[in-house]
Amino acid sequence: MFKSKTILYMTQILALLITGFTCWVMMTFLRIAMVSMYGVRLDLGRDWSDLLKAFWLGARFDLTVVCYILIFTFLFGVLPSLIQVGWKKITPLLLLILFSILFIILTCDLGYYSYFQDHLNILVFGFFEDDTVALLKLAWRNYPVIWLSLGTLAGFFLLHKWIQKIFQFSEQYFLKHNRLSVIHHPLHRILLFSLFLVAGLSIGARGGFGLFPLGPQDTVISSDPFINHLAYNGAHSLVRAFKLRKIQSASWDTNAKYFGYSNFRKAYADYFEIPESQVPENPLELLATQTSYKGESFQKPHVVLIVMESLGAYWLQYHSEKFNLLGEYEKHIRSDIFTDHFLPATNSTIGSLGSLLAGVTHRPDGAFLTESMYLQVPFRTSPALNFKNQGYTTRFIYG
């Protein structure tokens, strides 16, 4: 009985490793597909060295994902087969399910990149939070959904057949090629081998022997953003998106709790140095200011806010007749109300823009407004909303 279980056990381990290796190679072909689809700007004569680095680093990232899948399958599929022979059907099923999910993620990641020039990120949750039906209709119009679905089913079938072939080969390897000496080892050697196998897979799952596991911070290998993106993969980016989502789903008063405030009224009282009893029901009244000029001839001015990414006031000091940085905009600086005392709310474009439009600062421990549950919430602090309530026609123009 032990002999038959050992044969089954070693067969599954060999099949596990072969399946993992072949899927690892297939992930490299998907990375080649990414280069062919989106790498039109690459100059192979100039970028070949960075491309090789990206493929090598990408192979390490891919290996971490494969090792996680193999560890999970080993612990919940292969290892129990030493106790229960009937468990042998679980291992190929787990491999089929997990690698099918992986390739769906990687394929979706390729399509996602065409829209966002990024791997799957936190914006992917917008598919479920925005108008999902409208997005599905858009996908139906823009993509051959039926053919893609049939292709996916065909891929599942081929993967299923391939895994079956691998398990048949593994069984024949032990039973028909004089490899039976392996299965005569006592139980403690089999378990020791299993321990070394898990240890090796765990090192592969970390991405190496470094102090920290392989992560997105390791992808900065080139001055070309596409090559840096190429080294990463959709599975890692999706896991990172889930982690960010979990952090950003914290309560709205995370920062207040961090600084020891149990309610916002106490925070307002401390900020304005007034008793808590003097904080109005609507504490935003304490923040409201109004211009002192109220003449009969007062006409509502046009209010134009121009935001130029990465162009701070620092550069304006270099403007001169010989080095014209302002162009036609110079006359407005000379004659209109102009101030250069601005700082962005965050180091991110979308974070700063969201804070600007909502009229609120960014909370250091919180999510960007566009990536939180408040995406569709109208903020009463919004400058645009207040201008609209005063009869203005408001427009937002983005390049």
Side-chain angles (χ1 to χ4, degrees):
M1 185 65 179
F2 175 73
K3 179 179 177 180
S4 63
K5 287 183 178 180
T6 307
I7 293 173
L8 172 63
Y9 183 69
M10 297 305 297
T11 296
Q12 291 188 96
I13 286 181
L14 181 59
L16 187 80
L17 296 177
I18 294 176
T19 303
F21 177 77
T22 54
C23 289
W24 183 41
V25 173
M26 290 168 63
M27 294 171 75
T28 299
F29 281 105
L30 285 176
R31 187 166 280 105
I32 294 173
M34 186 175 182
V35 173
S36 65
M37 293 169 65
Y38 307 118
V40 292
R41 294 186 300 101
L42 293 177
D43 183 348
L44 295 180
R46 179 195 64 197
D47 299 323
W48 68 271
S49 177
D50 287 343
L51 271 175
L52 288 178
K53 292 179 183 177
F55 271 90
W56 167 244
L57 183 59
R60 292 173 59 194
F61 272 109
D62 294 344
L63 183 61
T64 64
V65 180
V66 170
C67 285
Y68 272 114
I69 292 177
L70 296 187
I71 290 173
F72 182 87
T73 307
F74 175 80
L75 294 177
F76 296 98
V78 178
L79 200 58
S81 68
L82 271 176
I83 304 171
Q84 179 62 47
V85 176
W87 205 262
K88 65 180 181 179
K89 296 181 180 180
I90 298 297
T91 302
L93 180 61
L94 280 176
L95 289 173
L96 175 63
I97 293 173
L98 294 176
F99 278 114
S100 294
I101 293 173
L102 173 62
F103 284 117
I104 287 176
I105 292 172
L106 296 179
T107 305
C108 290
D109 184 62
L110 279 177
Y112 191 86
Y113 193 90
S114 67
Y115 276 94
F116 298 100
Q117 282 71 58
D118 194 6
H119 291 287
L120 295 170
N121 54 30
I122 200 167
L123 295 179
V124 77
F125 296 103
F127 179 82
F128 305 100
E129 296 168 351
D130 295 338
D131 193 341
T132 304
V133 175
L135 291 173
L136 288 173
K137 291 179 178 178
L138 185 66
W140 180 266
R141 288 197 301 266
N142 293 337
Y143 294 97
V145 176
I146 295 178
W147 288 109
L148 288 174
S149 301
L150 292 175
T152 302
L153 293 174
F156 291 161
F157 178 77
L158 292 174
L159 183 60
H160 169 63
K161 288 297 183 182
W162 177 246
I163 292 175
Q164 279 188 332
K165 291 288 185 182
I166 291 175
F167 273 81
Q168 290 171 5
F169 165 80
S170 300
E171 188 174 4
Q172 292 171 0
Y173 179 80
F174 283 105
L175 295 179
K176 296 182 180 180
H177 294 279
N178 298 320
R179 300 292 178 178
L180 294 177
S181 60
V182 179
I183 66 176
H184 293 301
H185 290 301
L187 179 61
H188 72 274
R189 290 190 178 181
I190 297 292
L191 294 178
L192 185 62
F193 168 75
S194 302
L195 184 62
F196 277 108
L197 177 64
V198 172
L201 291 175
S202 299
I203 293 173
R206 291 186 83 256
F209 295 94
L211 181 62
F212 299 103
L214 202 62
Q217 70 278 359
D218 298 302
T219 61
V220 184
I221 57 176
S222 171
S223 58
D224 189 318
F226 174 76
I227 293 179
N228 294 333
H229 279 99
L230 184 64
Y232 211 38
N233 68 36
H236 274 275
S237 61
L238 185 60
V239 170
R240 183 169 179 266
F242 273 106
K243 290 180 179 179
L244 290 174
R245 181 68 173 177
K246 183 178 179 181
I247 295 173
Q248 296 179 355
S249 296
S251 60
W252 67 272
D253 56 350
T254 298
N255 300 90
K257 292 178 179 177
Y258 177 82
F259 288 105
Y261 289 103
S262 58
N263 66 81
F264 64 87
R265 298 176 66 84
K266 175 62 176 172
Y268 272 93
D270 286 354
Y271 182 78
F272 287 99
E273 298 181 343
I274 59 176
E276 189 174 343
S277 58
Q278 293 183 14
V279 177
E281 189 68 27
N282 178 12
L284 291 181
E285 295 175 5
L286 294 171
L287 299 172
T289 58
Q290 194 173 45
T291 179
S292 59
Y293 181 77
K294 283 292 181 181
E296 291 185 2
S297 61
F298 178 76
Q299 293 181 343
K300 293 181 179 179
H302 293 293
V303 179
V304 180
L305 178 63
I306 299 174
V307 180
M308 178 68 76
E309 177 147 16
S310 301
L311 180 61
Y314 169 78
W315 296 103
L316 299 183
Q317 64 180 309
Y318 295 109
H319 172 73
S320 66
E321 292 183 1
K322 295 182 178 180
F323 188 54
N324 190 340
L325 280 174
L326 297 174
E328 293 296 319
Y329 185 58
E330 182 178 11
K331 62 183 180 183
H332 296 287
I333 287 183
R334 305 299 181 201
S335 60
D336 299 346
I337 299 173
F338 173 77
T339 177
D340 57 1
H341 288 66
F342 281 96
L343 286 174
T346 72
N347 287 328
S348 167
T349 301
I350 188 62
S352 298
L353 193 58
S355 296
L356 187 66
L357 294 177
V360 295
T361 187
H362 173 66
R363 299 169 297 141
D365 289 331
F368 294 153
L369 293 174
T370 52
E371 299 174 353
S372 71
M373 65 183 74
Y374 304 110
L375 175 62
Q376 304 291 349
V377 175
F379 278 68
R380 53 182 169 171
T381 54
S382 168
L385 181 61
N386 283 292
F387 275 111
K388 185 175 182 180
N389 291 337
Q390 293 297 318
Y392 277 83
T393 299
T394 58
R395 292 288 183 269
F396 173 72
I397 302 173
Y398 184 62

